Amino acid sequence: MKTKVQDKFTTLFGEGGQFFASAGRINLIGEHTDYNGGYVFPGAIDCGILAKIKVNGTKKVHLFSIDFDEYVEFGLAEEDKPSQSWASYVFGVCRETIKRGGKVEGFDAVFAGDVPLGAGLSSSAALESTFAFALNYLFNNGIDKFELAKIGQSTEHNYCGVKCGIMDQFASIFGKQGSLIRLNCKTLEYKYFPFNPKGYRLVLIDSCVKHELASSAYNKRRASCENACAAIRKNHPEVEFLSDAKRLWLDEVRDQIPEEDFLRAEYVIGEVQRVLDVCDALERDDYETVGEMMYQTHFGLSRLYEVSCEELDFLNKLARKHEVTGSRVMGGGFGGCTINLVKDELYDEFVTAAVEQFEAKFGHAPKVYNVVISDGARVLE
Ligand code: GLA
């Protein structure tokens, strides 16, 4: 990847420039909790975005994507938004940096990525974080790391139409090799947890299914949560986010909100607690409990939050049948991967069965990714 980026950069822009990188992410547990002020438990992974960037002394950005094999130029004013959706991520990062008082002027850049698209591994956060980090570095803006993550999140909100939480951008900025990070999305307190379970492996099985309209369905889930939260707040004014609510308080408003919103909120309140239970279990090396919580999350995401699909439910059931310790749909849902915590000795049998049986049923093979927890945004020497 580095040679490709380097060669293209030299062809288009000549000498100079610096390499920057950032990562995709996994999430052990804590799904759809971030925008509800709850906990998440992600980590950056060893695939991401690599960019070579050079300040060009003009007011224009010259950008080439290796993966889309496309060149785009844009200015830095609000009305200069490029029509290509891949380029609007970079444009959004420039605009959000400027809105925060940061300096951004013209630059030349070539980038490539190896985060599988649509797999729920946050290729878009990797792209945003790479550029947020790089612009901060190149223009010496002194913006802190949380704000860099928020630049990525606001890019999604204001330029890409997804009202996402902070998890993906946080993980891809703060990621640290070998560690998962528990983040309290309300207070932004976080803690690194070294993650090296002896005798187990984490493996992702990618259904390679991507559902259309995932972003509007995502925004709809968020609206349901906010609606349930507002109803609870009438009785309990201290409830700022849904994660502050007790299960009993949700029951009190059951007949005041649509059943659908009730089910979404029921899932979220359970999930917030499961993240804490998983962290406790990890401190005791109790992987059986971690895995059981993952199965509970899958059930909730499938039946209450309704962001799973036939292919992911199939993979989850298959994992149970093969005595995989934990398995669940990962990320926003509507397609993508399951994340599986598997004992070493069961790994080969499970992965072979998953690939064969999935292909026999759905007519295409799933992809298998072994997880390596890695560093987040950085400048490369
Ligand atoms: C997507 C969003 C995140 C988070 C997850 C679900 O990845 O970008 O903010 O809400 O879905 O946990």
Side-chain angles (χ1 to χ4, degrees):
M1 197 153 82
K2 198 166 182 181
T3 328
K4 271 194 194 160
V5 172
Q6 173 66 61
D7 291 350
K8 193 73 196 179
F9 190 91
T10 313
T11 311
L12 289 176
F13 308 120
E15 297 303 304
Q18 252 171 315
F19 275 106
F20 296 88
S22 188
R25 61 106 189 87
I26 55 147
N27 184 29
L28 187 64
I29 198 150
E31 221 63 88
H32 292 276
T33 45
D34 55 357
Y35 52 83
N36 285 303
Y39 290 95
V40 291
F41 204 14
I45 52 176
D46 66 337
C47 54
I49 295 282
L50 180 69
K52 189 163 202 204
I53 310 178
K54 176 171 79 172
V55 176
N56 64 19
T58 74
K59 299 276 176 219
K60 282 232 155 134
V61 175
H62 305 149
L63 189 63
F64 187 84
S65 159
I66 301 255
D67 305 298
F68 289 93
D69 193 21
E70 197 173 7
Y71 175 78
V72 170
E73 265 185 37
F74 54 81
L76 291 161
E78 197 61 26
E79 60 273 18
D80 294 326
K81 187 177 175 198
S83 55
Q84 293 81 349
S85 69
W86 64 265
S88 59
Y89 291 95
V90 178
F91 175 76
V93 167
C94 296
R95 289 297 308 154
E96 290 297 333
T97 303
I98 293 167
K99 286 183 201 167
R100 285 163 175 77
K103 172 177 162 185
V104 180
E105 291 183 348
F107 58 86
D108 301 336
V110 173
F111 73 92
D114 59 359
V115 188
L117 298 181
L121 298 175
S122 291
S123 51
S124 62
L127 180 56
E128 291 147 8
S129 301
T130 304
F131 279 86
F133 182 93
L135 297 182
N136 189 43
Y137 183 97
L138 292 168
F139 294 102
N140 240 319
N141 285 326
I143 298 174
D144 72 43
K145 281 169 89 179
F146 269 117
E147 209 52 43
L148 293 180
K150 287 186 188 158
I151 285 174
Q153 184 192 22
S154 308
T155 296
E156 297 277 353
H157 288 198
N158 301 328
Y159 299 92
C160 312
V162 184
K163 298 286 175 202
C164 66
I166 191 71
M167 168 168 77
D168 304 349
Q169 293 79 11
F170 170 83
S172 106
I173 293 276
F174 283 80
K176 181 162 126 184
Q177 196 181 2
S179 287
L180 296 178
I181 326 166
R182 185 186 68 196
L183 171 69
N184 178 330
C185 298
K186 184 175 166 182
T187 63
L188 296 182
E189 279 164 314
Y190 63 99
K191 183 177 169 192
Y192 287 101
F193 283 71
F195 186 75
N196 184 21
K198 287 211 177 51
Y200 293 84
R201 289 166 74 170
L202 275 182
V203 61
L204 306 178
I205 312 276
D206 183 359
S207 66
C208 302
V209 180
K210 171 110 185 90
H211 289 280
E212 291 302 313
L213 299 178
S215 44
S216 62
Y218 180 95
N219 294 345
K220 209 170 153 219
R221 297 297 181 286
R222 182 170 182 154
S224 284
C225 292
E226 283 166 2
N227 190 34
C229 186
I232 297 170
R233 193 179 298 126
K234 284 192 192 135
N235 299 335
H236 304 277
E238 68 271 37
V239 172
E240 189 186 345
F241 291 99
L242 194 50
S243 63
D244 300 324
K246 298 199 167 69
R247 177 54 214 265
L248 204 68
W249 299 353
L250 174 63
D251 291 337
E252 291 167 4
V253 299
R254 183 163 198 163
D255 52 8
Q256 297 161 30
I257 56 175
E259 180 66 5
E260 192 176 278
D261 296 0
F262 176 85
L263 297 175
R264 308 300 189 236
E266 182 184 2
Y267 160 76
V268 169
I269 293 172
E271 183 72 352
V272 169
Q273 184 56 44
R274 279 190 288 273
V275 183
L276 295 175
D277 293 347
V278 160
C279 291
D280 287 348
L282 277 181
E283 283 180 325
R284 306 188 298 271
D285 286 335
D286 172 5
Y287 295 104
E288 292 306 312
T289 300
V290 173
E292 204 39 53
M293 293 294 154
M294 291 170 74
Y295 279 110
Q296 283 183 24
T297 295
H298 185 87
F299 178 87
L301 286 171
S302 177
R303 304 295 174 79
L304 306 174
Y305 221 66
E306 296 182 278
V307 295
S308 185
C309 58
E310 198 193 342
E311 291 86 348
L312 293 167
D313 287 346
F314 178 85
L315 287 171
N316 181 260
K317 250 202 200 133
L318 196 85
R320 214 18 146 189
K321 204 167 118 209
H322 284 267
E323 293 174 16
V324 168
T325 307
S327 176
R328 66 178 193 80
V329 46
M330 192 185 73
F334 314 105
C337 293
T338 59
I339 179 169
N340 303 275
L341 179 67
V342 197
K343 285 201 175 105
D344 284 341
E345 62 270 24
L346 295 176
Y347 178 88
D348 287 340
E349 180 203 313
F350 166 60
V351 169
T352 310
V355 171
E356 285 175 7
Q357 293 181 33
F358 187 96
E359 186 167 12
K361 182 154 171 75
F362 297 107
H364 68 272
K367 292 192 178 131
V368 178
Y369 314 120
N370 288 296
V371 173
V372 180
I373 301 168
S374 307
D375 287 330
R378 60 206 182 275
V379 54
L380 305 183
E381 291 317 320

